[in-house]
Amino acid sequence: MKRTLAVTVAAGAAVLARRALRRRIRRSPLWPLPALDTPVSGHSPRRTLYARIVSRTEPAEGVVRITLESDEFPAWTPGAHVDVVLPSGLVRQYSLCGDPADTGRWTIAVRLVEDGRGGSREVHEALVEGAELPVRPPRNRFELVPAPAYVFVAGGIGITPILPMLRAATAAGADWTLLYGGRSRASMPFLPELAAYGERVTLLPEDETGRPDLTPLAGIRPGTLVYCCGPEPLMRAVTEAAPDPSAVRLERFVPAAPVAAGPFTVELRRSGTEVAVAADESTLAAVRRVRPDTPYSCEQGFCGTCRHRVLAGEVDHRDDLLTDAERTTSMLLCVSRASKDRIALDL
């Protein structure tokens, strides 16, 4: 009897020990080396809010306007944008185009991009009135700086961050004009709202006027700030036409033209794997060759999903999200690279 009891106790202890060992290894794949901190990948540095879609309209061909409502919404300023977490898990960034004074409600407008990466199509096809939509608090890298005068230039859906600026500039008593271009009037949203501003607004539909005439920029007075949002060629043209390029403020939702870069090596410290990153590929693409489960979403340095902790090496940061403090310890794999020939990641 005693022998049977002893055997049972020993077997139970062995089972418990094996389970404890498995849990220990799951916490740290390199065990018995010291455990590394929990990875930061796949987690936005900002909290998630939950909103309800209370309105969905079509202010122009190929454009949907969505109004969201929530008691959690913080205040925002003209030029701000938010991350929208789509039902598929994709994260996309859209400018707030409503009125900051309308607390508790946010409005975004999204153009369908037929040959895009799928986010705009999902907005058009999957977002319906009454649905819950996760979003993240606003951030603003296109802040409206106080000035006596402004020239606003918008191309197509680039009108969205400009709309709240027009209201703010008017309320401040500033002198301003808007040049607004698009493929056609039918494709240009918010024309009824803009009509209230009269001659301050110049419409430049391409099927009527051709390419936007930017010659008025050459004659702007010193102290005038130029705000532009639209396709990359338009933003380049505005910068070239302005007499003082330092007075131009740009908002883009695609990365700027890539800077030339060389190849480098990424060490995945947790697995002990090394990956070669070619000059013409992203760090994310290279890492996903050996770690296809590596999370990502926007692939443009905006959402933070592919953020990873850097354990060694210097990083050439090319994102528009991380703070200076966050950049000392992490990077976004989709756009950033090694400054030299090697970096090590907590992967």
Side-chain angles (χ1 to χ4, degrees), residues 141-154:
R141 57 170 183 266
F142 195 43
E143 193 81 44
L144 184 66
V145 177
Y150 303 93
V151 175
F152 299 104
V153 184

Side-chain angles (χ1 to χ4, degrees), residues 27 47 50 74 77 80 108 118 121 125 144 152 158 170 175 182 194-195 204 241 336 338:
R27 288 198 302 271
R47 66 192 180 103
Y50 292 91
T77 54
I108 61 173
R121 180 167 296 281
E125 296 179 354
L144 184 66
F152 299 104
T170 302
D175 182 22
L194 294 173
L204 301 168
S336 297

Side-chain angles (χ1 to χ4, degrees), residues 37-312:
D37 294 334
T38 302
V40 298
S41 61
H43 302 281
S44 168
R46 296 175 304 132
R47 66 192 180 103
T48 298
L49 312 173
Y50 292 91
R52 186 169 62 90
I53 300 174
V54 296
S55 174
R56 174 193 164 114
T57 60
E58 298 183 7
E61 291 179 356
V63 177
V64 294
R65 172 171 45 194
I66 292 175
T67 301
L68 307 170
E69 194 173 77
S70 172
D71 294 334
E72 296 184 278
F73 285 161
W76 59 280
T77 54
H81 70 271
V82 296
D83 290 348
V84 174
V85 184
L86 297 173
S88 68
L90 288 176
V91 180
R92 294 293 184 263
Q93 296 70 40
Y94 301 112
S95 295
L96 293 173
C97 56
D99 186 348
D102 187 7
T103 58
R105 285 198 168 201
W106 289 351
T107 300
I108 61 173
V110 182
R111 181 179 298 284
L112 176 62
V113 182
E114 295 286 356
D115 59 349
R117 295 174 299 120
S120 67
R121 180 167 296 281
E122 188 171 355
V123 169
H124 279 245
E125 296 179 354
L127 300 191
V128 297
E129 287 188 21
E132 185 179 72
L133 187 66
V135 293
R136 294 171 185 160
R139 60 180 183 268
N140 197 339
R141 57 170 183 266
F142 195 43
E143 193 81 44
L144 184 66
V145 177
Y150 303 93
V151 175
F152 299 104
V153 184
I157 201 64
I159 190 63
T160 51
I162 300 295
L163 273 180
M165 294 185 177
L166 304 183
R167 301 186 190 102
T170 302
D175 182 22
W176 63 264
T177 58
L178 167 66
L179 304 176
Y180 179 23
R183 294 191 305 273
S184 66
R185 289 177 187 266
S187 71
M188 297 165 65
F190 307 114
L191 295 187
E193 292 90 330
L194 294 173
Y197 294 117
E199 295 183 354
R200 287 183 169 189
V201 177
T202 301
L203 300 180
L204 301 168
E206 190 172 340
D207 62 349
E208 298 176 23
T209 64
R211 295 289 183 180
D213 179 11
L214 301 177
T215 55
L217 293 177
I220 61 175
R221 300 190 305 272
T224 300
L225 296 182
V226 179
Y227 280 78
C228 176
C229 183
E232 189 67 29
L234 174 65
M235 293 192 287
R236 286 198 302 269
V238 167
T239 303
E240 293 169 359
D244 179 9
S246 68
V248 177
R249 307 288 190 272
L250 304 175
E251 174 75 316
R252 53 169 53 92
F253 285 100
V254 295
V259 179
F264 60 97
T265 299
V266 174
E267 177 191 355
L268 309 183
R269 184 68 59 84
R270 288 183 182 239
S271 62
T273 304
E274 292 192 352
V275 183
V277 184
D280 60 350
E281 73 175 334
S282 68
T283 310
L284 175 65
V287 169
R288 281 180 59 81
R289 286 204 304 271
V290 297
R291 288 289 303 271
D293 60 338
T294 302
Y296 72 101
S297 183
C298 77
E299 299 182 78
Q300 299 181 85
F302 297 138
C303 74
T305 305
C306 66
R307 179 185 173 199
H308 280 274
R309 185 175 290 112
V310 178
L311 303 179

